[in-house]
């Protein structure tokens, strides 16, 4: 992998082409160009049979430069670095900053190719490509270009586990505009690999990511919600918003399976050690405006005297970060 940096300080992960694939692409190109040169030479020889030897030599040199130098330069310029051989091998010529090449890049490469590839039968190009860290020949160095692989093995993207049913849709009012993409990427990588981590290390990482997310959103951390479950729910909320923007308000991320109306539901995709919040933590029982529960009527229809209110339990203390680190 080549870490090329653009003018906007963006790191490009490109795979430079090595000598075997480049040599195969050049052989395919030379096979096509030499076949065309041979056919054109036969036609020109028949057409210029009546000319003097000097004129025939001039026509031969012109046809050589046109077919073996001019046409490759034109093909690379018009195709933005993809000749027939490179297209067959999945290669492409790009600039050092990752952009498409222009005529001057193709011209320098073609001019140096006469010496590197044709005059020395590719010996100089092979030595330069073996010595170079990115497999470049002299024409690439002078032109400021690089041959990269366009077809790379695809990697399987692991889906983010769904949040528990009792957290689905609970963060719909959270402001996620200040969360950077780097933090989203770190959270996604943790959620897709959390089952492969050591429990203590994974729990500490989840607490750290959850604290960073709370600091970016400016909202207080939820009470009684484990850090991994909080990360799942927020990522699910962001995916729902992205889907709504892309496909309309009626489309979104499907609801978490296993949620039953009126029941707390099982925490799908969560290890048993995370647990559930205390009953009534998010949905307290409805009480009248007086603050006392409504008295139940007796059998004769006379309402019973209200029961004395139980003393309020002291609020549990929690760390300043909002999420308790693992024991």
């Amino acid at each position: 992998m080549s870490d090329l940096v653009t003018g906007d300080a963006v790191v490009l992960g490109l795979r430079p082409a090595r000598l075997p694939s480049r040599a195969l692409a050049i052989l395919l190109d030379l096979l096509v160009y030499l076949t065309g040169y041979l056919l054109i030479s036969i036609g020109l020889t028949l057409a210029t049979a009546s000319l003097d030897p000097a004129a025939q030599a001039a026509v031969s040199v012109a046809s050589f430069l046109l077919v073996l130098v001019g046409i490759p330069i034109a093909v690379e310029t018009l195709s933005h670095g993809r000749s027939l051989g490179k297209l067959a091998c999945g290669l492409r010529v790009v600039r050092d900053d990752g952009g498409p090449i222009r005529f001057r890049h193709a011209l320098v490469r073609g001019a140096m190719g006469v010496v590197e590839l044709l005059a020395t039968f590719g010996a100089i190009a092979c030595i330069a490509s073996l010595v170079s860290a990115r497999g470049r020949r002299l024409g690439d160095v002078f032109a400021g270009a690089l041959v990269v692989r366009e077809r790379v093995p695809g990697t399987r993207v692991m889906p983010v586990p769904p949040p528990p049913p009792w957290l689905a849709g609970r963060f719909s009012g959270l402001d996620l505009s200040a969360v950077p993409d780097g933090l989203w990427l770190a959270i996604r990588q943790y959620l897709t690999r959390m089952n492969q981590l050591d429990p203590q290390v994974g729990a500490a990482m989840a607490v750290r990511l959850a604290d960073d997310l709370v600091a970016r959103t400016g909202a207080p951390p939820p009470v009684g919600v484990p850090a991994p479950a909080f990360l799942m729910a927020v990522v699910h909320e962001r995916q729902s918003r992205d889907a709504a923007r892309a496909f309309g308000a009626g489309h979104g991320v499907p609801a978490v399976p296993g949620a039953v109306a009126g029941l707390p539901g099982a925490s799908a995709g969560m290890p048993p050690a995370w647990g559930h919040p205390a009953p009534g933590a998010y949905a307290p029982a409805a009480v009248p405006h007086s603050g006392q529960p409504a008295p139940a009527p007796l059998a004769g229809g006379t309402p019973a005297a209200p029961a004395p209110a139980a003393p309020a339990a002291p609020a549990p203390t929690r760390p300043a970060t909002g999420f308790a680190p693992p024991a």
Side-chain angles (χ1 to χ4, degrees), residues 290 292-309:
S290 60
Q292 299 292 337
L298 297 177
T302 305

Side-chain angles (χ1 to χ4, degrees), residues 53 55 72 79 95 100 104 106 110 113 129 171 190 202 209 230 279 284 291 319:
S79 63
R95 300 196 306 260
R104 60 185 180 87
S129 181
F171 300 99
Y190 164 74
L209 291 174
F230 171 69

Side-chain angles (χ1 to χ4, degrees), residues 159-162 187-199 201-203 205-206 228-229 231-232 268-271 274:
V160 176
I187 294 175
R188 180 180 179 86
Q189 289 178 345
Y190 164 74
L191 292 177
T192 54
R193 295 175 174 85
M194 60 183 180
N195 293 328
Q196 305 173 6
L197 302 175
D198 180 78
V201 176
M205 188 179 299
L231 297 176
M232 290 181 187
M270 294 175 56
W274 291 352

Side-chain angles (χ1 to χ4, degrees), residues 82-160:
R82 285 180 294 185
S83 62
L84 183 61
K86 292 181 177 62
L87 187 63
C89 297
L91 307 181
R92 183 175 183 174
V93 185
V94 297
R95 300 196 306 260
D96 276 340
D97 59 356
I101 63 172
R102 302 183 183 276
F103 172 73
R104 60 185 180 87
H105 304 94
L107 178 62
V108 175
R109 282 173 44 82
M112 292 298 300
V114 176
V115 179
E116 288 186 277
L117 302 175
L118 300 179
T120 61
F121 299 98
I124 297 179
C126 291
I127 296 174
S129 181
L130 290 175
V131 172
S132 174
R134 294 187 290 180
R136 301 199 298 178
R137 63 180 178 90
L138 295 181
D140 300 327
V141 176
F142 291 137
L146 174 68
V147 180
V148 298
R149 301 186 62 89
E150 282 193 312
R151 295 195 295 263
V152 295
T155 57
R156 181 184 176 186
V157 179
M158 299 298 295
V160 176

Side-chain angles (χ1 to χ4, degrees), residues 8-286:
D8 298 329
V10 178
V11 179
L12 300 177
L14 302 178
R15 292 180 177 269
R18 298 301 177 183
L19 180 60
S21 58
R22 295 195 59 177
L24 180 59
I26 291 175
L27 287 177
L28 293 176
D29 287 336
L30 287 178
L31 179 62
V32 174
Y33 295 144
L34 288 176
T35 302
Y37 175 69
L38 180 61
L39 296 177
I40 293 176
S41 298
I42 294 175
L44 290 176
T45 300
L46 298 177
T48 59
S50 59
L51 298 178
D52 57 276
Q56 293 180 355
V59 171
S60 299
V61 172
S63 62
F64 173 83
L65 294 177
L66 175 65
V67 177
L68 296 182
V69 180
I71 292 182
I73 293 175
V75 169
E76 283 197 354
T77 303
L78 297 177
S79 63
H80 299 292
R82 285 180 294 185
S83 62
L84 183 61
K86 292 181 177 62
L87 187 63
C89 297
L91 307 181
R92 183 175 183 174
V93 185
V94 297
R95 300 196 306 260
D96 276 340
D97 59 356
I101 63 172
R102 302 183 183 276
F103 172 73
R104 60 185 180 87
H105 304 94
L107 178 62
V108 175
R109 282 173 44 82
M112 292 298 300
V114 176
V115 179
E116 288 186 277
L117 302 175
L118 300 179
T120 61
F121 299 98
I124 297 179
C126 291
I127 296 174
S129 181
L130 290 175
V131 172
S132 174
R134 294 187 290 180
R136 301 199 298 178
R137 63 180 178 90
L138 295 181
D140 300 327
V141 176
F142 291 137
L146 174 68
V147 180
V148 298
R149 301 186 62 89
E150 282 193 312
R151 295 195 295 263
V152 295
T155 57
R156 181 184 176 186
V157 179
M158 299 298 295
V160 176
W166 43 270
L167 278 181
R170 200 168 294 275
F171 300 99
S172 57
L174 201 61
D175 184 13
L176 304 178
S177 59
V179 182
D181 292 338
L183 183 56
W184 286 123
L185 179 60
I187 294 175
R188 180 180 179 86
Q189 289 178 345
Y190 164 74
L191 292 177
T192 54
R193 295 175 174 85
M194 60 183 180
N195 293 328
Q196 305 173 6
L197 302 175
D198 180 78
Q200 294 293 329
V201 176
M205 188 179 299
V207 169
R208 185 170 64 253
L209 291 174
D211 289 336
D212 292 342
L213 189 58
V214 168
R216 294 287 185 174
T217 57
V223 180
V225 177
F230 171 69
L231 297 176
M232 290 181 187
V234 176
V235 171
H236 183 269
E237 176 62 28
R238 190 205 181 199
Q239 292 175 348
S240 300
R241 295 181 186 181
D242 292 343
R245 282 193 298 267
F247 304 105
H251 298 78
V253 177
V256 180
V260 183
L263 295 178
S267 9
M270 294 175 56
W274 291 352
H276 299 276
Y282 289 101

